[in-house]
Amino acid sequence: MTQEKSPAKIGLWTSTALVIGNMVGSGVFLLPATLAAYGGISLLGWIGSSVGAIFLAMLFSHLSKVVPNAVGGPYAFTRVGLGDFAAYLVAWGYWFSIWCTNAAIAVTFVSYLTVFFPILAVNAYLSVGTGISVVWLLTWVNTLGVKEAGRVQLITTIMKLTPLVLISIVGMFYIKLGNFSPFNISGESDFGAIAATATLTLFAYLGLESATIPSGDIHEPEKTIPRATMIGTIVTIAVYIFSTVAVMGMIPAIELGKSNAPFADAAAIIWGDSARYWVALGAIVSTFGALNGWILLQGQIPFAAAKDKMFPEIFGRENKKKAPYMGLIISSVLISGLMLMNLSKGLTETFTFLILLTTIMVLVPYLFSAASYGVILLQNRLWKKESISKIIIASMAFIYSVWAVMGSGKEIVYWGFIALLCGVPFYVWMRRKREPS
């Protein structure tokens, strides 16, 4: 008798959309302008960070097979390999980064809306109110269950990829090879330029682990998660590289470096000035989809930790749709607070720094997951059953994660370490609550 698929669970394409949707946010729409300062050599940086992303995708694919039904993704993997304390640091840092990042995505979403509603650019109360409204709209969508949130993610992912793919394909016919010469215009050595651009582009791949986090809501996770992770990562890499090649080949580096909307400028070259609005709409859909996907995860991480009694019990509460509604609500309250901070110009720099800080908090789970996979293989002697390639994958993912952390800069690494330490007293308190009196 065949096992029927649970109607409450999501399948391969929705899981893949979660991966792509969380990776492809607002940053890709501005990256070509940032990379223009380096010239065509920045494409080698893209390739370098893409190789690292593939190793990480392979890492999480293998982990999802070795530790199936591990709700919480990097948190659950780390707990199996490195124990409670390391897992708690991952949960704390990841959750911290998610709701901070969601605040930034919401602000970015509103900034793209100013193309159609200019009043949002001059009225701080209206812009922040709009952003908070979108956050709570998607919070409500996610309380309806992971399948409903997954449908929204699938639709927005298709819509956000459409303009990028169109520009990638059609733009190839408008490329001028002279725009890639000289190859390195940064003034740095070739190695320095490649390292710098690889560091800039690696942040575009954050989120490739997304399918591993709601594993309890995924149909046949041991099969679906590895496939979704690899397909999502490969599709995203292809879109990133081909679209960047197209835009850099269409617009001279000097002009591209000054562009506030490089994809809109590229679209205008192909289809005329009116196309700028279509690209702006694509950016709005992209940020909306990314916000939906990350809000889904902001409830899953503390939910998994609460089930293991490492987060307060309130985060483990579910509604009738099996959605961790209290984790979603508490996180969205924190997001709203951060966005209200942005009303004050005096706090804007603090807000921006806090968002930069969250990047390092996402990279730490990658580092711990790679280390955990190595420990799991050695402890269970799986390396004898599997090929030595599994050890190589764990090692390369670990090395890449260390390099990525170092590339974030000393100041960000320092404050990231401080932010992790701030969670230690909370861990001690929760551990004392678990111990019998």
Side-chain angles (χ1 to χ4, degrees):
M1 183 176 180
T2 58
Q3 184 179 2
E4 293 185 3
K5 182 176 176 180
S6 171
K9 297 192 174 186
I10 59 178
L12 175 62
W13 296 115
T14 304
S15 300
T16 303
L18 181 62
V19 175
I20 298 174
N22 281 11
M23 292 171 72
V24 181
S26 58
V28 66
F29 287 90
L30 296 175
L31 264 176
T34 304
L35 298 176
Y38 296 88
I41 199 169
S42 61
L43 297 176
L44 297 181
W46 260 127
I47 294 173
S49 58
S50 298
V51 171
I54 289 175
F55 275 117
L56 286 170
M58 293 171 69
L59 168 71
F60 286 113
S61 295
H62 290 310
L63 275 168
S64 62
K65 294 177 182 177
V66 175
V67 190
N69 298 307
V71 178
Y75 157 77
F77 300 144
T78 301
R79 187 166 185 252
V80 172
L82 302 179
D84 285 355
F85 181 63
Y88 168 78
L89 290 179
V90 168
W92 169 266
Y94 205 95
W95 179 60
F96 178 92
S97 71
I98 288 176
W99 54 262
C100 289
T101 301
N102 280 345
I105 294 175
V107 170
T108 306
F109 172 80
V110 175
S111 70
Y112 282 117
L113 275 179
T114 60
V115 174
F116 300 95
F117 306 100
I119 190 174
L120 294 175
V122 295
N123 190 317
Y125 290 96
L126 186 58
S127 63
V128 171
T130 301
I132 291 176
S133 298
V134 172
V135 167
W136 284 101
L137 169 64
L138 290 176
T139 301
W140 171 74
V141 169
N142 278 272
T143 61
L144 299 178
V146 69
K147 190 169 185 179
E148 295 302 322
R151 286 174 179 168
V152 173
Q153 192 71 0
L154 182 59
I155 294 170
T156 56
T157 297
I158 293 171
M159 292 178 66
K160 76 166 66 176
L161 286 180
T162 300
L164 296 176
V165 172
L166 283 175
I167 290 176
S168 300
I169 296 173
V170 181
M172 292 296 172
F173 296 96
Y174 290 81
I175 287 178
K176 297 179 180 179
L177 295 180
N179 290 334
F180 294 104
S181 181
F183 195 54
N184 182 2
I185 62 175
S186 66
E188 301 181 21
S189 65
D190 288 351
F191 179 80
I194 293 172
T197 53
T199 301
L200 285 171
T201 54
L202 70 90
F203 300 121
Y205 292 118
L206 299 181
L208 58 85
E209 75 289 352
S210 297
T212 68
I213 296 174
S215 62
D217 296 302
I218 294 178
H219 178 62
E220 296 185 342
E222 69 282 356
K223 296 180 181 179
T224 302
I225 292 175
R227 293 173 184 171
T229 301
M230 292 306 302
I231 293 172
T233 301
I234 291 171
V235 168
T236 302
I237 287 173
V239 170
Y240 279 164
I241 293 179
F242 283 110
S243 62
T244 302
V245 168
V247 173
M248 295 184 74
M250 294 169 65
I251 305 173
I254 296 178
E255 295 179 21
L256 185 60
K258 299 176 182 178
S259 174
N260 292 322
F263 278 91
D265 291 340
I269 292 174
I270 300 173
W271 296 293
D273 288 338
S274 61
R276 295 177 187 272
Y277 292 98
W278 289 105
V279 173
L281 181 61
I284 289 170
V285 173
S286 181
T287 51
F288 186 84
L291 185 59
N292 175 68
W294 284 108
I295 284 179
L296 186 154
L297 300 189
Q298 79 182 21
Q300 294 286 336
I301 288 289
F303 171 78
K307 287 298 182 183
D308 295 327
K309 298 183 179 180
M310 283 193 280
F311 264 43
E313 183 182 352
I314 190 172
F315 287 98
R317 295 181 184 175
E318 297 176 290
N319 60 16
K320 294 180 180 179
K321 298 287 187 178
K322 295 297 181 181
Y325 72 101
M326 287 307 301
L328 289 167
I329 291 173
I330 293 171
S331 300
S332 291
V333 168
L334 293 169
I335 294 171
S336 300
L338 276 181
M339 295 187 68
L340 289 171
M341 284 173 58
N342 209 37
L343 283 172
S344 170
K345 292 182 179 179
L347 290 175
T348 300
E349 290 184 4
T350 302
F351 178 81
T352 302
F353 177 77
L354 191 61
I355 297 309
L356 292 174
L357 175 63
T358 64
T359 302
I360 194 71
M361 307 293 274
V362 177
L363 291 172
V364 169
Y366 293 175
L367 186 66
F368 280 31
S369 294
S372 182
Y373 185 48
V375 171
I376 292 170
L377 288 176
L378 294 174
Q379 284 182 342
N380 295 281
R381 298 187 177 184
L382 294 177
W383 57 274
K384 291 185 176 180
K385 299 178 182 179
E386 308 283 345
S387 66
I388 195 66
S389 63
K390 303 299 187 297
I391 296 292
I392 295 175
I393 289 170
S395 300
M396 294 303 296
F398 183 84
I399 292 170
Y400 176 72
S401 299
V402 171
W403 176 79
V405 169
M406 292 173 63
S408 300
K410 291 186 292 185
E411 185 179 10
I412 296 300
V413 171
Y414 170 78
W415 286 109
F417 179 71
I418 296 298
L420 286 175
L421 283 182
C422 289
V424 173
F426 191 60
Y427 171 79
V428 173
W429 174 65
M430 289 301 301
R431 184 165 183 173
R432 286 181 178 177
K433 286 188 64 177
R434 297 203 310 268
E435 292 176 353
S437 55

